Amino acid sequence: FNATSMGSYYILCSQYCGRQHSAMISKLYVVLPDQYEAWLAGKHIQLSSDSMWANMPKGEALLYERGCTSCHSVTGNPMVGPTLKGLFGSQVHVQTAGASRTVTADSAYIRESIIQPNADIVDGYPNTMPPGRDVLSDEEIDTVIDYLKTIK
């Protein structure tokens, strides 16, 4: 497509990919070429100062803004991916290089699951999560982890 005006726009997933397909909403940002180049170079830029998630804890807002809640709930309901509610500190059954094992969902596990989601696949869920290195900075991952500690 060819964007004709700058701004932010809500978009919907174009392919049916799971039970919560209708919840797969994301935000498209149409920006100036220099802003896009900065983002492409890995610089995390503030694209919008107005947010429908402004009253949420920052970690929760990041989950919504970056599209994580399209597959992961914060309410306890499993979706395409496992729920994030009660995750921190819990025991998680995963497949690692084809071997079953149980891990503790601590800060290191959650960070690795965001950066390299195919390293440990949670039992019962597909290996469909894209790597999050381009989605969240290290500081933002810390903010998300801090938020996950609060939703038991």
Side-chain angles (χ1 to χ4, degrees), residues 45-108:
I45 59 172
Q46 179 67 35
L47 295 176
S48 174
S49 59
D50 63 327
S51 171
M52 65 185 281
W53 304 293
N55 294 325
M56 290 180 175
K58 181 62 178 164
E60 182 179 17
L62 283 168
L63 291 171
Y64 279 92
E65 289 173 352
R66 305 303 163 79
C68 306
T69 55
S70 294
C71 295
H72 300 279
S73 80
V74 294
T75 62
N77 299 324
M79 296 171 61
V80 174
T83 184
L84 300 176
K85 183 177 183 179
L87 173 64
F88 192 86
S90 70
Q91 297 296 299
V92 182
H93 303 286
V94 299
Q95 295 291 316
T96 305
S100 293
R101 67 186 190 116
T102 300
V103 297
T104 300
D106 58 9
S107 296

Side-chain angles (χ1 to χ4, degrees), residues 120-140:
D120 294 310
I121 309 302
V122 176
D123 286 351
Y125 292 93
N127 181 11
T128 57
M129 183 169 155
R133 172 55 67 204
D134 296 332
V135 178
L136 294 165
S137 69
D138 286 333
E139 181 180 291
E140 290 169 331

Side-chain angles (χ1 to χ4, degrees), residues 105-151:
D106 58 9
S107 296
Y109 167 80
I110 293 170
R111 177 177 302 284
E112 183 70 12
S113 293
I114 292 170
I115 295 171
Q116 301 226 0
N118 62 348
D120 294 310
I121 309 302
V122 176
D123 286 351
Y125 292 93
N127 181 11
T128 57
M129 183 169 155
R133 172 55 67 204
D134 296 332
V135 178
L136 294 165
S137 69
D138 286 333
E139 181 180 291
E140 290 169 331
I141 292 172
D142 290 339
T143 301
V144 167
I145 292 170
D146 287 343
Y147 169 69
L148 295 181
K149 292 175 183 178
T150 71
I151 56 170

